[in-house]
Amino acid sequence: MTEPYEPLTYPLRIVCFGARDVEMLPDLLEALHFADLVVALGDIQLERIAEMIGEEKPALCVLGDRDPRRPPPAPFTPLHGTGVIFNGWRIFGLSGGVSGSAEGQGFTLSEEEALSALTAAPPCDILLSHVPPAGLEREIGSEPALEALAEYLREYRPVYHLHANSRR
């Protein structure tokens, strides 16, 4: 098992959006002003958020099962099986809803595809995903979750895991 690493001491102010947060956008304008980074966790109107934040604000996203299969608007950088270093923080993303649970034509992946992407993933400080790890479904009222995410979290212990698909 990989040894846990020390949390970073660099401050990072993140404004994070999930699917139900679009209605709150006008209330979040002040928070967006002070954010170092904007993160969208899938199944959200990226174009609307992009208009509000402009192209100067750094922004990352993972895509969900209802997102269109096209590149996100600027300034968003999509993460799926890839990562970035932002202000010293190692951030890795896994896009997609669980195969068979999608209502739209968006990004889905099987447990095997998730495991393959995460097996190749380096340790990170912040993990972004559309779906939660397996084991939280009842507590957060989520849609299907991924065991591969739970395994990655147990092994690498990122400081934060930000995900969507929470219903509570």
Side-chain angles (χ1 to χ4, degrees):
M1 181 158 126
T2 303
E3 292 296 317
Y5 42 88
E6 293 298 316
L8 295 175
T9 57
Y10 308 120
L12 181 61
R13 296 169 298 210
I14 297 176
V15 173
C16 186
F17 291 96
R20 296 196 167 149
D21 298 329
V22 171
E23 297 80 31
M24 297 172 35
L25 282 177
D27 298 331
L28 293 172
L29 281 176
E30 186 173 344
L32 286 170
H33 176 71
F34 291 105
D36 299 314
L37 178 66
V38 175
V39 171
L41 298 172
D43 294 348
I44 192 162
Q45 299 167 4
L46 290 175
E47 290 79 8
R48 187 168 172 200
I49 298 171
E51 288 174 12
M52 296 181 84
I53 64 175
E55 292 191 21
E56 297 78 33
K57 182 71 71 174
L60 301 173
C61 67
V62 290
L63 302 176
D65 51 302
R66 293 177 187 92
D67 286 318
R69 286 188 167 267
R70 65 175 184 260
F76 284 99
T77 299
L79 298 180
H80 175 66
T82 58
V84 298
I85 296 177
F86 182 81
N87 287 358
W89 292 82
R90 300 170 296 172
I91 304 171
F92 185 84
L94 182 70
S95 289
V98 178
S99 294
S101 66
E103 294 178 15
Q105 298 296 316
F107 200 101
T108 61
L109 67 164
S110 67
E111 186 71 50
E112 293 78 23
E113 291 167 323
L115 182 60
S116 176
L118 290 166
T119 299
C124 68
D125 302 302
I126 302 172
L127 176 63
L128 308 176
S129 67
H130 178 64
V131 298
L136 294 180
E137 299 92 340
R138 184 177 300 161
E139 290 83 359
I140 64 174
S142 77
E143 295 175 6
L146 290 169
E147 180 59 37
L149 279 169
E151 290 175 20
Y152 181 91
L153 292 169
R154 281 190 294 271
E155 182 169 349
Y156 291 111
R157 300 177 184 173
V159 178
Y160 298 105
H161 177 208
L162 306 177
H163 64 82
N165 280 5
S166 298
R167 303 293 183 241
R168 296 187 179 143

